[in-house]
């Protein structure tokens, strides 16, 4: 009997340990553990203050402004709920477009503007010929109407 | 019993020798078809223009890097459980190819990331865990190379493989679990692929070519290892290769 | 008590021995013979459970020693090439510690008398670092006396011992077997064992 | 057919460096692996022959 | 249970007899961390930014430095074989050796770390989080490192090899450990990182001794 009890106790211990580990992992994923923060998180004060971090979201349509004669650009990053203005001096990646995904690294100023030191384009996992893409776009527009 | 017969080196050696050229041929044909589709049939992408064509090697290489590790771990587990020499040899024969595909996945990823994202490298979860996979491959090979006794070397490497296999699901699911810069997977079992069909076909054919190549190379390497290991055995001495 | 069926052993690419069978009962001794590199030490390591044979199995009281680690570990004592002595500790500490690691208590008097019996009365409290090789060998053998094990597996127990040491080991072996113990030993020297007629086993002839 | 001319093909819509850089490295890796594999096999074979010749005196 | 206690006591006793070796790893830790301000310059903002990472990386390296000798000494004088033959499970042996390693090498790191943190301009709550993250993280380092030590037992160049094998496995500990401290510095809390570290600790407590015991068996054959 005794070795059997030992075995049962061992199994119980293992199950309990795995349970604890899973609970801890789930707890971690409820909090934020991320490559970038969304504008909503920034607005809720979950992002670091006075330290470099990354924000991610979509470039708001019609928000891209280039300063004349320089490489400085301004645009707004949004996650449709909240949005944050970003200014950046440098070369933008090819995939940087209004309405597309972007991840910017930099600091949040006291005026609420995010000064980026690096801008990365985040593209989605869709690949298709341009005709197909425009067809889908048309279809979505007609659905919205 | 029958299985044991195939697991015996003296049966495997000639069998692998006969099969390897076929796999090489298949790999070559598939690669030619795949490359033709990649460059001449698949259309330009709506977002990334022609730059997306890196996908035709990046994704197959990344798949192979993870898949080969899993296969290696599988053979390692079999070897440790049943003490079959051939499975250790298979695990060893796969490691360099796996490391090569991991390197290709990292390299092509960098060459794809630079124009599209705007950076050669970022430390997000997907990229970091793939880099760790590369280190794991190198670590296993270094450990096996450092141990002289073949039996210990096989088993120690196998154990390390099994420890490292935890990393594979982390790589695969990293894009789901964390906000990464890397896009999600285009191909998934649970939903329709988010790719135009012809692009998908090109990618799948290239992946198949990579498979065939990996199998062929593993066979050839396993054969060389067997010759080295078992040069005392009578079946090796009777091989025509050994005759002067 | 101890049986081994069909053992074979490979080292590197070499087959050291194949289809080796042996049986040993209480009050019996077995001398393992064979030239250098023919697998004497490998056989002993298989018999004590440190390495696994390429085929075959070792049984203790009918149970495989891999399954019976708990009982076998208590009833078997192994003296290897290396002494298993910590240089930082004194012989006394070494003995007490290794007894505790095997789940036995060992009081000081028993340990001291065992050490004294092996002629180490003067260096019990010196760190083992300062002892000569032969003296360290004696500490290991003193551990054997207090281990209370039924089966002794001795790998070249005479290495480094002087004439009186050799005689002492021979006496220990005779006493142990006379008391119903079992011994498996390898040695290059001829052992003077009196009435005791050990079995012998030669390994590595087939190679 | 996507390409009007060979130079179009090599330029890859401006991504020539990246696309060809990736493919070139892949080819280098595969060619290297096959070369190493061949060499390893030939070496093993040679050693085997030498051993056989030595052990079976003719 | 008694066996576990004996193994731990034994290693601690041996460490007290060999204080020179024991101090080397701690000095290494202090020295590596202190090199960074000298190499990078005394700008407090920069130092505060790199502090957690530097301390964690140094802790990793210091652990690895002492790790390669975890089983090697016992292997050389034959005591490891004797312990493997004892009537108790080798898993308990590996667990005991790892715990002893943590007590001997991990706990001193925890104690020194806040002092080094002050060098890097960390203060108050951040120091506590640093200690907490090291308290959860260093046992993982000892447990995982024991696998590497067992695998490389008796190999030439084992010290370098163990680094190559084990550092990749240490990466998550580094990321979450340093992440917890940086999260506190940045004002977004350390909870997520600390609980991941905790999960990792539980899992490695469960698996690492078992793997180490298997590795020991393979290496001793």
């Amino acid at each position: 009997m005794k070795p059997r009890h030992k075995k049962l106790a061992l199994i119980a211990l293992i199950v309990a340990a795995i349970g604890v580990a899973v609970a801890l992992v789930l707890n971690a994923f409820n909090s934020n553990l991320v490559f970038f923060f969304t504008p909503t998180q920034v607005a809720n004060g979950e992002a670091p203050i006075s330290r470099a971090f990354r924000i991610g979201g979509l470039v708001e349509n019609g928000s891209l402004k280039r300063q004349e004669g320089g490489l400085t650009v301004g645009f707004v990053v949004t996650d449709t709920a909240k949005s944050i203005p970003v200014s950046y001096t440098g070369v933008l990646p090819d995939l940087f477009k209004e309405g597309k995904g972007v991840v910017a690294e930099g600091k949040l100023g006291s005026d609420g503007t995010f000064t980026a030191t690096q801008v990365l384009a985040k593209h989605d996992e869709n690949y298709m010929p341009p005709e197909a893409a425009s067809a889908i776009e048309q279809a979505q527009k007609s659905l919205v109407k | 019993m029958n299985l044991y017969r195939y697991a015996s080196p003296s049966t495997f050696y000639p069998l692998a020798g006969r099969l390897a050229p076929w796999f090489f041929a298949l790999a070559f044909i598939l690669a030619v078809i795949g490359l033709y589709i990649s460059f001449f049939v698949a259309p330009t992408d709506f977002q990334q223009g022609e730059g997306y064509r890196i996908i035709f090697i990046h994704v197959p290489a990344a798949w192979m890097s993870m898949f080969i590790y899993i296969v290696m771990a599988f053979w390692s587990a079999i070897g440790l459980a049943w003490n079959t020499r051939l499975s250790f040899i298979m695990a060893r024969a796969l490691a360099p190819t796996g490391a090569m595909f991991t390197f290709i996945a990292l390299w092509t990823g960098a060459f794809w990331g630079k124009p599209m994202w705007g950076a050669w490298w970022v430390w997000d979860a997907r990229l970091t865990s793939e880099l760790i996979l590369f280190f794991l491959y190198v670590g296993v090979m270094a450990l096996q190379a450092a141990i002289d006794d073949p039996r210990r070397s096989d088993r120690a490497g196998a154990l390390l493989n099994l420890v490292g296999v935890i990393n594979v699901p982390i790589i695969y699911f990293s894009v789901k679990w964390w906000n990464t810069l890397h896009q999600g997977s285009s191909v998934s079992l649970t939903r329709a692929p988010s790719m135009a069909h012809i692009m998908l076909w090109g990618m799948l054919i290239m992946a198949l070519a990579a498979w065939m190549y990996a199998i062929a190379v593993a066979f050839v390497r396993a054969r060389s290892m067997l010759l080295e290991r078992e040069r005392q055995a009578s079946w090796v001495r009777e091989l025509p290769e050994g005759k002067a | 008590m101890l049986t081994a069926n069909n053992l074979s052993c490979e080292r590197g690419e070499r087959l050291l021995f194949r289809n080796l069978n042996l049986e040993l009962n209480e009050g019996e001794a077995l001398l393992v013979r064979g030239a250098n590199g023919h697998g004497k030490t490998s056989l002993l390591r298989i018999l004590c459970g440190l390495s696994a044979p390429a085929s075959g199995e070792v049984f203790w009281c009918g149970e495989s020693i891999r399954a019976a680690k708990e009982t076998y570990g208590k009833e078997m004592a192994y003296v290897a090439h290396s002494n298993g002595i910590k240089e930082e500790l004194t012989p006394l500490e070494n003995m007490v510690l290794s007894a505790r690691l095997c789940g036995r208590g060992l009081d000081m008097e028993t340990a001291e008398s065992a050490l004294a019996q092996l002629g180490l009365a003067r260096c019990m409290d010196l760190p083992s670092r300062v002892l000569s090789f032969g003296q360290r060998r004696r500490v290991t053998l003193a551990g054997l006396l207090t281990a209370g094990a039924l089966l002794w597996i001795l790998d070249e127990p005479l290495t480094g011992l002087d004439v009186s040491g050799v005689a002492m080991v021979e006496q220990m072996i005779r006493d142990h077997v006379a008391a119903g113990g079992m011994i498996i030993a390898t040695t290059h020297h001829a052992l003077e064992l009196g009435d005791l007629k050990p079995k012998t086993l030669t390994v590595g002839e087939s190679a | 057919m996507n390409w009007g001319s060979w130079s179009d093909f090599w330029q890859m819509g401006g991504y020539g460096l990246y696309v060809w850089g990736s493919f070139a490295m892949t080819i280098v890796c595969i060619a290297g692996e096959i070369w190493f594999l061949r060499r390893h096999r030939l070496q093993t074979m040679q050693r085997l022959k030498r051993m056989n010749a030595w052990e079976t005196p003719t | 249970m008694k066996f576990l206690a004996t193994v731990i006591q034994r290693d601690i006793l041996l460490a007290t007899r060999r204080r020179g070796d024991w101090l080397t790893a701690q000095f290494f830790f202090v020295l590596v961390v202190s090199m960074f301000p000298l190499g990078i310059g005394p700008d407090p903002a920069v130092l505060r930014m790199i502090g957690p990472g530097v301390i964690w990386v140094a802790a990793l390296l210091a652990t690895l430095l002492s790790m390669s000798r975890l089983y090697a000494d016992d292997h050389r004088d034959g005591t490891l074989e004797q312990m493997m033959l004892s009537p108790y499970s080798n898993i308990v042996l590996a667990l005991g050796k790892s715990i002893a390693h943590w007590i001997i090498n991990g706990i001193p790191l925890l104690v020194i770390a806040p002092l080094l943190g002050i060098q890097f301009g960390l203060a108050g709550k951040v120091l506590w989080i640093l200690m907490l993250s090291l308290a959860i993280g260093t046992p993982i380092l000892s447990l995982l490192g024991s696998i590497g030590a067992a695998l490389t037992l008796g190999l030439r160049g084992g010290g370098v090899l163990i680094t190559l094998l084990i550092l990749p496995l240490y990466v998550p500990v580094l990321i979450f450990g340093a992440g917890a401290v940086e999260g506190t510095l940045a004002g977004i809390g350390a909870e997520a990182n600390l609980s991941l570290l905790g999960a990792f600790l539980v899992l490695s407590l469960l698996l690492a001794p078992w793997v180490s015991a298997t590795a020991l068996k393979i290496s001793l054959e």
Side-chain angles (χ1 to χ4, degrees):
Chain A
M1 269 299 112
K2 214 189 154 208
R4 202 205 213 162
H5 283 172
K6 239 185 198 169
K7 208 173 235 174
L8 278 178
L10 198 66
I11 291 172
L13 192 77
I14 290 172
V15 170
I18 291 174
V20 170
V22 169
L24 284 169
V25 170
L26 289 179
N27 178 34
F29 283 109
N30 282 337
S31 319
N32 43 57
L33 189 78
V34 289
F35 185 66
F36 57 77
F37 295 90
T38 61
T40 309
Q41 284 174 319
V42 176
N44 292 346
E46 287 171 32
I49 316 128
S50 73
R51 256 176 98 79
F53 65 100
R54 299 192 190 91
I55 58 166
L58 299 173
V59 184
E60 202 165 81
N61 277 321
S63 69
L64 180 64
K65 283 189 268 313
R66 284 181 196 278
Q67 277 178 13
E68 64 282 5
L71 280 169
T72 303
V73 290
F75 55 90
V76 175
V77 172
T78 175
D79 58 357
T80 64
K82 290 277 189 318
S83 42
I84 287 180
V86 176
S87 85
Y88 172 63
T89 310
V91 184
L92 289 168
D94 293 1
L95 284 193
F96 183 89
K97 280 199 189 78
E98 290 183 348
K100 298 290 178 195
V102 70
V103 173
E105 185 172 351
K107 270 185 186 168
L108 194 62
S110 50
D111 57 344
T113 306
F114 188 84
T115 312
T117 52
Q118 191 183 25
V119 171
L120 302 169
K122 179 172 166 57
H123 61 85
D124 53 31
E125 64 272 24
N126 296 312
Y127 303 91
M128 59 190 89
E131 307 86 61
S134 56
I136 288 175
E137 211 169 301
Q138 293 297 326
Q140 274 171 346
K141 270 184 191 158
S142 62
L143 267 181
V144 171
K145 276 169 196 168
Chain B
M1 214 50 224
N2 216 350
L3 261 175
Y4 264 114
R5 215 170 70 77
Y6 284 110
S8 103
S10 53
T11 324
F12 172 83
Y13 183 85
L15 184 71
R18 265 197 312 268
L19 289 179
W22 289 102
F23 280 111
F24 268 123
L26 267 176
F28 185 74
I29 294 168
L30 285 169
V32 168
I33 299 174
L35 285 173
Y36 180 75
I37 294 180
S38 332
F39 282 115
F40 298 108
V41 182
T44 308
D45 180 58
F46 76 111
Q47 286 189 90
Q48 307 186 16
E50 310 298 347
Y52 91 99
R53 289 183 199 277
I54 297 173
I55 202 175
F56 294 113
I57 41 176
H58 177 72
V59 173
W63 280 347
M64 290 313 284
S65 71
M66 292 186 272
F67 190 74
I68 290 182
Y69 200 94
I70 292 177
V71 175
M72 247 168 73
F74 167 78
W75 284 123
S76 302
I78 301 263
L80 284 178
W82 285 289
N83 205 7
T84 42
R85 272 175 303 175
L86 194 59
S87 30
F88 286 127
I89 298 238
M90 280 314 282
R92 276 182 98 127
L94 282 165
T97 311
M100 184 199 78
F101 275 119
T102 316
F103 175 73
I104 292 178
L106 290 169
W107 178 277
T108 55
F111 270 66
W112 196 4
K114 181 62 188 170
M116 298 306 159
W117 298 342
W120 294 103
W121 181 264
V122 290
W123 291 100
D124 84 347
R126 171 60 72 84
L127 278 69
T128 309
S129 50
E130 181 79 9
L131 184 67
I132 293 177
L133 184 70
F134 183 64
F135 291 150
L136 287 174
Y137 273 119
V138 175
V140 169
M141 290 195 286
L143 177 68
Q144 288 183 325
I147 306 178
D148 293 325
D149 177 39
R151 186 178 147 93
R152 179 181 166 193
S153 153
D154 281 348
R155 293 154 70 80
L159 193 67
L160 193 64
N161 278 334
L162 287 180
V163 173
V165 82
I166 301 167
N167 189 37
V168 174
I170 295 180
I171 301 176
Y172 188 75
F173 292 111
S174 55
V175 286
K176 267 195 198 145
W177 291 345
W178 287 284
N179 290 344
T180 56
L181 184 63
H182 199 284
Q183 65 277 17
S185 12
S186 301
V187 183
S188 130
L189 292 175
T190 48
R191 57 180 172 76
S194 49
M195 270 181 103
H197 282 278
I198 189 65
M199 297 177 178
L200 182 65
W201 274 110
M203 203 165 88
L204 291 180
I205 291 175
M206 288 299 278
L208 212 57
W211 260 70
M212 297 299 130
Y213 169 78
I215 294 174
V217 170
F219 274 174
V220 174
R221 192 175 286 122
R223 269 162 61 90
S224 295
M225 285 178 169
L226 272 177
L227 279 192
E228 236 176 351
R229 279 287 174 88
E230 311 232 333
R231 55 172 174 256
Q232 307 280 347
S234 56
W235 69 267
V236 172
R237 295 183 176 202
E238 283 151 18
L239 286 175
E241 286 98 315
K243 301 277 167 9
Chain C
M1 293 295 279
L2 184 80
T3 48
N5 289 339
N6 213 4
L7 291 183
S8 49
C9 172
E10 290 167 9
R11 274 290 161 265
E13 296 149 8
R14 263 169 27 100
L15 189 71
L16 290 178
F17 51 80
R18 182 169 30 199
N19 297 337
L20 189 144
N21 295 293
L22 64 87
E23 189 180 354
L24 199 67
N25 287 307
E26 285 177 39
E28 288 184 334
L30 173 72
L31 284 186
V32 180
R33 299 187 182 284
N36 289 124
H38 276 190
K40 291 190 302 288
T41 298
S42 299
L43 174 64
L44 293 198
R45 289 172 66 87
I46 287 173
L47 289 178
C48 70
L50 272 176
S51 45
S55 74
E57 185 122 47
V58 183
F59 298 93
W60 176 253
C61 301
E63 210 179 348
S64 160
I65 56 167
R66 275 180 297 160
K69 187 171 192 284
E70 210 163 317
T71 44
Y72 194 55
K74 282 203 175 96
E75 289 171 350
M76 187 272 303
Y78 173 56
V79 172
H81 274 287
S82 48
N83 285 322
I85 299 279
K86 275 283 160 203
E87 293 190 336
E88 295 84 357
L89 306 179
T90 68
L92 261 183
E93 284 170 325
N94 264 308
M95 285 188 67
V96 172
L97 204 59
S98 50
R100 280 178 56 198
L101 284 171
C102 286
R104 287 179 282 113
L106 180 66
D107 58 77
M108 281 298 167
E109 286 90 69
T110 327
E112 277 171 23
S113 73
L115 285 170
Q117 193 186 333
L118 278 148
L120 292 168
R122 281 185 305 132
C123 30
M124 267 181 222
D125 289 315
L126 296 174
S128 304
R129 194 179 331 119
V130 303
L131 300 188
S132 75
F133 184 83
Q135 284 173 312
R136 289 185 214 175
R137 199 71 181 157
R138 286 172 185 234
V139 178
T140 313
L141 294 167
L144 212 50
L145 283 180
T146 59
L150 193 56
L151 169 64
W152 292 358
I153 297 183
L154 313 174
D155 196 353
E156 298 293 344
L158 306 180
T159 323
L161 293 183
D162 55 14
V163 178
S164 70
V166 171
M168 217 176 282
V169 172
E170 286 164 348
Q171 185 60 44
M172 277 170 65
I173 291 177
R174 279 199 299 269
D175 291 349
H176 184 63
V177 175
M182 297 143 68
I183 286 176
I184 299 175
T186 64
T187 168
H188 289 299
H189 305 263
L191 280 176
E192 182 54 56
L193 295 178
D195 299 337
L196 176 63
K197 291 281 172 288
K199 296 179 173 180
T200 56
L201 174 80
T202 311
V203 287
E205 270 175 341
S206 59
Chain D
M1 190 56 68
N2 298 315
W3 318 102
S5 68
W6 277 110
S7 73
D8 265 9
F9 181 65
W10 294 122
Q11 274 174 7
M12 274 289 146
Y15 293 116
L17 169 67
Y18 303 107
V19 174
W20 297 121
S22 306
F23 276 80
M25 183 45 95
T26 311
I27 289 168
V28 166
C29 283
I30 289 178
E33 190 180 27
I34 290 179
W35 186 74
F36 270 111
L37 217 57
R38 241 183 100 76
R39 210 184 58 159
H40 183 208
R41 181 155 174 80
L42 291 178
Q43 275 179 352
T44 322
M45 226 84 108
Q46 235 161 30
R47 218 173 304 151
L48 202 68
K49 268 181 202 156
R50 223 176 298 143
M51 202 181 72
N52 275 352
W54 189 66
E55 282 184 8
T56 50
T58 42
Chain E
M1 216 58 226
K2 230 168 100 186
F3 181 58
L4 185 70
T6 314
V7 172
I8 297 173
Q9 272 176 14
R10 170 184 180 274
D11 272 25
I12 294 175
L13 174 67
L14 287 173
T16 54
R17 292 285 163 88
R18 240 183 350 212
R19 253 165 268 143
D21 293 354
W22 173 74
L23 281 172
T24 316
Q26 319 303 327
F27 265 119
F28 176 80
F29 178 58
V30 173
L31 274 176
V32 167
V33 173
S34 309
M35 287 297 123
F36 276 84
L38 299 176
I40 284 171
D43 178 3
V46 175
L47 286 183
R48 205 167 314 137
M49 199 163 75
I50 61 163
V54 166
I55 293 175
W56 258 100
V57 169
L60 248 58
L61 295 178
T63 311
L64 278 174
L65 188 72
S66 50
M67 207 78 230
S68 54
R69 299 189 36 252
L70 180 64
Y71 296 110
D73 287 347
D74 291 346
H75 177 54
R76 204 174 311 116
D77 57 27
T79 42
L80 185 61
E81 285 180 356
Q82 294 296 338
M83 288 195 282
M84 297 275 291
L85 288 176
S86 81
Y88 303 98
S89 164
N90 294 335
I91 300 175
V92 180
L93 170 66
L95 179 65
K97 293 285 284 184
S98 310
I99 294 177
H101 180 268
W102 179 66
I103 295 175
I104 298 162
N105 294 290
I107 289 182
L109 291 190
L110 300 187
V111 178
I112 306 170
L115 301 176
L116 297 175
I118 292 168
Q119 282 190 336
F120 282 81
L122 307 177
K125 190 174 168 228
V126 181
L127 285 179
W128 283 109
I129 295 289
L130 176 68
M131 272 184 84
L132 187 61
S133 71
L134 281 168
I136 307 175
T138 44
I140 310 178
L141 301 184
S142 296
L143 285 161
L144 292 181
S146 137
I147 299 177
L151 282 174
T152 56
L153 197 56
L155 299 182
R156 49 197 145 71
V160 183
L161 197 58
I162 193 175
T163 315
L164 195 60
L165 303 186
I166 295 304
L167 269 187
L169 301 180
Y170 277 179
V171 168
V173 186
L174 175 67
I175 290 175
F176 301 138
V181 186
E182 260 154 26
T184 320
L185 266 178
I188 53 170
E191 197 196 332
N193 284 302
L194 286 179
S195 51
L196 274 180
L197 212 53
F200 203 22
L201 174 61
V202 173
L203 286 181
S204 41
L205 261 174
L206 211 56
L207 291 176
W210 179 69
V211 178
S212 308
T214 316
L216 276 179
K217 206 148 172 45
I218 291 171
S219 296
L220 277 183
E221 260 188 16

